Amino acid sequence: MEEAGETKKIMYVNRKAPYGTIYALEALEVVLIGAAFEQDVYMMFLDDGVFQLKKEQDTKALGVKNFSPTYRALEMYDVEKIYVEKESMEVRGLTADDLIIPVEVKSNEEVTKMMTEMDVLLNF
Amino acid sequence: MKFGIMVNEGPYTHQASDSAYNFVAAALEKGHEIYRIFFYHDGVNNGTRLTTPPQDDRNIVNRWSALAEKHEIDLVICVAAAQRRGIADADESKRNGKDADNIAPGFRISGLGQLLEASIQADRMVVFGD
Amino acid sequence: MLHTVNKSPFDRNSLERCMRTCDKGSAILLIEDGVYGGIKGSVIEDKVKGAMKDVKIYALEADLDSRGIKGRVIDGIQLVDYNGFVDLTVEYDKVQSWL
């Protein structure tokens, strides 16, 4: 295996809101397991994906597990490159203060550039 | 070229597994290698041998099994996603105290690491989903 | 980079989002319900034509055929079969699926 030990730039592209569908939760599970592979990992939140990071999620009445605190644990898994698109937040009336973890806010143009620099894009 | 494929939707409800199958069949025909097909989210439902579509419809599960046998393709069902949705092989069934298993021939159940490993090893990763 | 879009633009924002974010010189392939984005005379036609100045747009023939719209595709959108889909993934260095 000539490529063993190779490090790839992998971006997890999250575009879906939590709870309405399972994609956000299962995407997060990929990121946590994936951390063991020590790749150059980027988490990008676009469109409704930004709602995944909204503070004050309370799922008691819904009867499902609130997984939003898990985003705070990403740092312990050395997942530190976490980005949110500015335009996606603006359209939804959110600012970085509404989010459960500190993120880097990127413009659509910067998102485009970052995507082109990746080796692999995993879409959820 | 070496391809990794991810299938995120179950058969019949969404077109994703048909698209993935047609893509994979074309890639193999062209002489490319399919390193692995990873089934995630409801995509794990592609791997139950209990699927029984009407006779005049395609059998999506059997089609995957046949492809895997002919071309020795690694069909991997995510264990965490499979447990949620009731897809099990004999080992999984026993471990979880269930009375049956339902995995189709050619599929195996394994962890999410298989998706990451495929992403690293493959030249191209193609995701089919909703 | 190859972008795939599999949603109707009349239902979801995937195509517009893709056109806004795709890099110059990349390609967009419309598959599944995404092929409705390639239909002539729709409210999104002008945006699609605008995007075609910077990116190539393809549509998957099987999905156009099955939906009865192969004869209605915007001029300049190139039709490909599954072999063509595979070729595009080889030609471009990676795939972004706007699920």
PDB file of all heavy atoms in Angstrom, chain C residues 32 35-36 38 59-70 73 77 79:
ATOM      1  N   GLU C  32     -31.030  12.534 -10.946  1.00  0.00           N
ATOM      2  CA  GLU C  32     -32.293  12.283 -10.234  1.00  0.00           C
ATOM      3  C   GLU C  32     -33.225  13.486 -10.434  1.00  0.00           C
ATOM      4  O   GLU C  32     -33.328  14.019 -11.536  1.00  0.00           O
ATOM      5  CB  GLU C  32     -32.003  11.963  -8.748  1.00  0.00           C
ATOM      6  CG  GLU C  32     -31.093  10.731  -8.625  1.00  0.00           C
ATOM      7  CD  GLU C  32     -30.572  10.462  -7.216  1.00  0.00           C
ATOM      8  OE1 GLU C  32     -30.925  11.186  -6.277  1.00  0.00           O
ATOM      9  OE2 GLU C  32     -29.785   9.501  -7.058  1.00  0.00           O
ATOM     10  N   VAL C  35     -32.463  16.931 -12.451  1.00  0.00           N
ATOM     11  CA  VAL C  35     -32.578  17.219 -13.888  1.00  0.00           C
ATOM     12  C   VAL C  35     -33.691  18.230 -14.188  1.00  0.00           C
ATOM     13  O   VAL C  35     -33.670  18.884 -15.229  1.00  0.00           O
ATOM     14  CB  VAL C  35     -32.799  15.942 -14.744  1.00  0.00           C
ATOM     15  CG1 VAL C  35     -31.593  15.018 -14.645  1.00  0.00           C
ATOM     16  CG2 VAL C  35     -34.081  15.215 -14.354  1.00  0.00           C
ATOM     17  N   TYR C  36     -34.644  18.378 -13.267  1.00  0.00           N
ATOM     18  CA  TYR C  36     -35.689  19.396 -13.496  1.00  0.00           C
ATOM     19  C   TYR C  36     -35.093  20.803 -13.552  1.00  0.00           C
ATOM     20  O   TYR C  36     -35.699  21.714 -14.098  1.00  0.00           O
ATOM     21  CB  TYR C  36     -36.763  19.313 -12.401  1.00  0.00           C
ATOM     22  CG  TYR C  36     -37.633  18.077 -12.505  1.00  0.00           C
ATOM     23  CD1 TYR C  36     -37.680  17.147 -11.473  1.00  0.00           C
ATOM     24  CD2 TYR C  36     -38.419  17.851 -13.644  1.00  0.00           C
ATOM     25  CE1 TYR C  36     -38.477  16.009 -11.564  1.00  0.00           C
ATOM     26  CE2 TYR C  36     -39.219  16.715 -13.743  1.00  0.00           C
ATOM     27  CZ  TYR C  36     -39.245  15.798 -12.699  1.00  0.00           C
ATOM     28  OH  TYR C  36     -40.031  14.678 -12.800  1.00  0.00           O
ATOM     29  N   GLY C  38     -32.765  21.597 -15.358  1.00  0.00           N
ATOM     30  CA  GLY C  38     -32.296  21.830 -16.726  1.00  0.00           C
ATOM     31  C   GLY C  38     -33.409  22.090 -17.718  1.00  0.00           C
ATOM     32  O   GLY C  38     -33.187  22.154 -18.932  1.00  0.00           O
ATOM     33  N   ALA C  59     -26.420  16.918 -17.738  1.00  0.00           N
ATOM     34  CA  ALA C  59     -27.594  16.270 -17.139  1.00  0.00           C
ATOM     35  C   ALA C  59     -27.576  14.794 -17.502  1.00  0.00           C
ATOM     36  O   ALA C  59     -27.165  14.420 -18.615  1.00  0.00           O
ATOM     37  CB  ALA C  59     -28.883  16.925 -17.631  1.00  0.00           C
ATOM     38  N   LEU C  60     -27.998  13.967 -16.571  1.00  0.00           N
ATOM     39  CA  LEU C  60     -27.967  12.519 -16.769  1.00  0.00           C
ATOM     40  C   LEU C  60     -29.184  12.093 -17.606  1.00  0.00           C
ATOM     41  O   LEU C  60     -30.334  12.300 -17.215  1.00  0.00           O
ATOM     42  CB  LEU C  60     -27.961  11.803 -15.411  1.00  0.00           C
ATOM     43  CG  LEU C  60     -27.609  10.326 -15.420  1.00  0.00           C
ATOM     44  CD1 LEU C  60     -26.201  10.074 -15.952  1.00  0.00           C
ATOM     45  CD2 LEU C  60     -27.728   9.760 -14.008  1.00  0.00           C
ATOM     46  N   GLU C  61     -28.856  11.500 -18.745  1.00  0.00           N
ATOM     47  CA  GLU C  61     -29.878  11.162 -19.740  1.00  0.00           C
ATOM     48  C   GLU C  61     -30.972  10.237 -19.181  1.00  0.00           C
ATOM     49  O   GLU C  61     -32.160  10.454 -19.447  1.00  0.00           O
ATOM     50  CB  GLU C  61     -29.180  10.462 -20.909  1.00  0.00           C
ATOM     51  CG  GLU C  61     -29.651  10.952 -22.252  1.00  0.00           C
ATOM     52  CD  GLU C  61     -28.769  10.441 -23.378  1.00  0.00           C
ATOM     53  OE1 GLU C  61     -27.647   9.935 -23.094  1.00  0.00           O
ATOM     54  OE2 GLU C  61     -29.194  10.567 -24.521  1.00  0.00           O
ATOM     55  N   ALA C  62     -30.572   9.235 -18.428  1.00  0.00           N
ATOM     56  CA  ALA C  62     -31.555   8.278 -17.897  1.00  0.00           C
ATOM     57  C   ALA C  62     -32.600   8.987 -17.040  1.00  0.00           C
ATOM     58  O   ALA C  62     -33.782   8.619 -17.044  1.00  0.00           O
ATOM     59  CB  ALA C  62     -30.858   7.201 -17.075  1.00  0.00           C
ATOM     60  N   ASP C  63     -32.151  10.010 -16.298  1.00  0.00           N
ATOM     61  CA  ASP C  63     -33.085  10.724 -15.429  1.00  0.00           C
ATOM     62  C   ASP C  63     -33.982  11.682 -16.212  1.00  0.00           C
ATOM     63  O   ASP C  63     -35.130  11.908 -15.842  1.00  0.00           O
ATOM     64  CB  ASP C  63     -32.301  11.462 -14.334  1.00  0.00           C
ATOM     65  CG  ASP C  63     -31.756  10.493 -13.281  1.00  0.00           C
ATOM     66  OD1 ASP C  63     -32.464   9.524 -12.953  1.00  0.00           O
ATOM     67  OD2 ASP C  63     -30.630  10.695 -12.807  1.00  0.00           O
ATOM     68  N   LEU C  64     -33.452  12.235 -17.302  1.00  0.00           N
ATOM     69  CA  LEU C  64     -34.292  13.061 -18.181  1.00  0.00           C
ATOM     70  C   LEU C  64     -35.321  12.193 -18.883  1.00  0.00           C
ATOM     71  O   LEU C  64     -36.507  12.528 -18.944  1.00  0.00           O
ATOM     72  CB  LEU C  64     -33.421  13.763 -19.232  1.00  0.00           C
ATOM     73  CG  LEU C  64     -32.459  14.837 -18.743  1.00  0.00           C
ATOM     74  CD1 LEU C  64     -31.450  15.159 -19.844  1.00  0.00           C
ATOM     75  CD2 LEU C  64     -33.220  16.099 -18.346  1.00  0.00           C
ATOM     76  N   ASP C  65     -34.855  11.073 -19.424  1.00  0.00           N
ATOM     77  CA  ASP C  65     -35.728  10.134 -20.139  1.00  0.00           C
ATOM     78  C   ASP C  65     -36.889   9.690 -19.260  1.00  0.00           C
ATOM     79  O   ASP C  65     -38.048   9.750 -19.655  1.00  0.00           O
ATOM     80  CB  ASP C  65     -34.940   8.869 -20.526  1.00  0.00           C
ATOM     81  CG  ASP C  65     -34.168   9.053 -21.834  1.00  0.00           C
ATOM     82  OD1 ASP C  65     -34.589   9.888 -22.654  1.00  0.00           O
ATOM     83  OD2 ASP C  65     -33.153   8.361 -22.013  1.00  0.00           O
ATOM     84  N   SER C  66     -36.547   9.248 -18.054  1.00  0.00           N
ATOM     85  CA  SER C  66     -37.575   8.668 -17.189  1.00  0.00           C
ATOM     86  C   SER C  66     -38.620   9.704 -16.799  1.00  0.00           C
ATOM     87  O   SER C  66     -39.766   9.365 -16.524  1.00  0.00           O
ATOM     88  CB  SER C  66     -36.943   8.053 -15.944  1.00  0.00           C
ATOM     89  OG  SER C  66     -36.173   9.012 -15.257  1.00  0.00           O
ATOM     90  N   ARG C  67     -38.228  10.971 -16.800  1.00  0.00           N
ATOM     91  CA  ARG C  67     -39.156  12.032 -16.382  1.00  0.00           C
ATOM     92  C   ARG C  67     -39.847  12.731 -17.552  1.00  0.00           C
ATOM     93  O   ARG C  67     -40.575  13.710 -17.364  1.00  0.00           O
ATOM     94  CB  ARG C  67     -38.405  13.044 -15.503  1.00  0.00           C
ATOM     95  CG  ARG C  67     -38.057  12.478 -14.128  1.00  0.00           C
ATOM     96  CD  ARG C  67     -36.959  13.240 -13.438  1.00  0.00           C
ATOM     97  NE  ARG C  67     -36.675  12.728 -12.094  1.00  0.00           N
ATOM     98  CZ  ARG C  67     -35.932  11.634 -11.840  1.00  0.00           C
ATOM     99  NH1 ARG C  67     -35.406  10.949 -12.825  1.00  0.00           N
ATOM    100  NH2 ARG C  67     -35.746  11.233 -10.608  1.00  0.00           N
ATOM    101  N   GLY C  68     -39.557  12.246 -18.759  1.00  0.00           N
ATOM    102  CA  GLY C  68     -40.229  12.795 -19.940  1.00  0.00           C
ATOM    103  C   GLY C  68     -39.815  14.197 -20.327  1.00  0.00           C
ATOM    104  O   GLY C  68     -40.584  14.939 -20.940  1.00  0.00           O
ATOM    105  N   ILE C  69     -38.598  14.593 -19.966  1.00  0.00           N
ATOM    106  CA  ILE C  69     -38.192  15.976 -20.250  1.00  0.00           C
ATOM    107  C   ILE C  69     -36.925  16.082 -21.104  1.00  0.00           C
ATOM    108  O   ILE C  69     -36.342  17.148 -21.210  1.00  0.00           O
ATOM    109  CB  ILE C  69     -37.997  16.791 -18.937  1.00  0.00           C
ATOM    110  CG1 ILE C  69     -36.972  16.122 -18.010  1.00  0.00           C
ATOM    111  CG2 ILE C  69     -39.330  16.984 -18.222  1.00  0.00           C
ATOM    112  CD1 ILE C  69     -36.556  17.005 -16.841  1.00  0.00           C
ATOM    113  N   LYS C  70     -36.541  14.975 -21.738  1.00  0.00           N
ATOM    114  CA  LYS C  70     -35.309  15.018 -22.542  1.00  0.00           C
ATOM    115  C   LYS C  70     -35.419  16.038 -23.683  1.00  0.00           C
ATOM    116  O   LYS C  70     -34.424  16.665 -24.053  1.00  0.00           O
ATOM    117  CB  LYS C  70     -35.003  13.640 -23.110  1.00  0.00           C
ATOM    118  CG  LYS C  70     -33.623  13.550 -23.722  1.00  0.00           C
ATOM    119  CD  LYS C  70     -33.197  12.115 -23.812  1.00  0.00           C
ATOM    120  CE  LYS C  70     -32.377  11.837 -25.043  1.00  0.00           C
ATOM    121  NZ  LYS C  70     -32.163  10.398 -25.206  1.00  0.00           N
ATOM    122  N   VAL C  73     -34.638  20.252 -22.677  1.00  0.00           N
ATOM    123  CA  VAL C  73     -33.442  20.682 -21.955  1.00  0.00           C
ATOM    124  C   VAL C  73     -32.880  21.997 -22.513  1.00  0.00           C
ATOM    125  O   VAL C  73     -32.849  22.201 -23.721  1.00  0.00           O
ATOM    126  CB  VAL C  73     -32.351  19.583 -22.012  1.00  0.00           C
ATOM    127  CG1 VAL C  73     -31.088  20.025 -21.290  1.00  0.00           C
ATOM    128  CG2 VAL C  73     -32.886  18.294 -21.401  1.00  0.00           C
ATOM    129  N   ILE C  77     -26.741  22.623 -22.224  1.00  0.00           N
ATOM    130  CA  ILE C  77     -26.560  21.565 -21.218  1.00  0.00           C
ATOM    131  C   ILE C  77     -26.237  20.274 -21.970  1.00  0.00           C
ATOM    132  O   ILE C  77     -26.939  19.904 -22.906  1.00  0.00           O
ATOM    133  CB  ILE C  77     -27.825  21.374 -20.357  1.00  0.00           C
ATOM    134  CG1 ILE C  77     -28.036  22.600 -19.457  1.00  0.00           C
ATOM    135  CG2 ILE C  77     -27.715  20.102 -19.499  1.00  0.00           C
ATOM    136  CD1 ILE C  77     -29.208  22.484 -18.500  1.00  0.00           C
ATOM    137  N   LEU C  79     -25.788  16.273 -22.409  1.00  0.00           N
ATOM    138  CA  LEU C  79     -26.362  15.056 -21.855  1.00  0.00           C
ATOM    139  C   LEU C  79     -25.291  13.970 -21.747  1.00  0.00           C
ATOM    140  O   LEU C  79     -24.472  13.809 -22.636  1.00  0.00           O
ATOM    141  CB  LEU C  79     -27.503  14.552 -22.751  1.00  0.00           C
ATOM    142  CG  LEU C  79     -28.604  15.560 -23.099  1.00  0.00           C
ATOM    143  CD1 LEU C  79     -29.809  14.848 -23.695  1.00  0.00           C
ATOM    144  CD2 LEU C  79     -29.023  16.383 -21.877  1.00  0.00           C
TER     145      LEU C  79
END
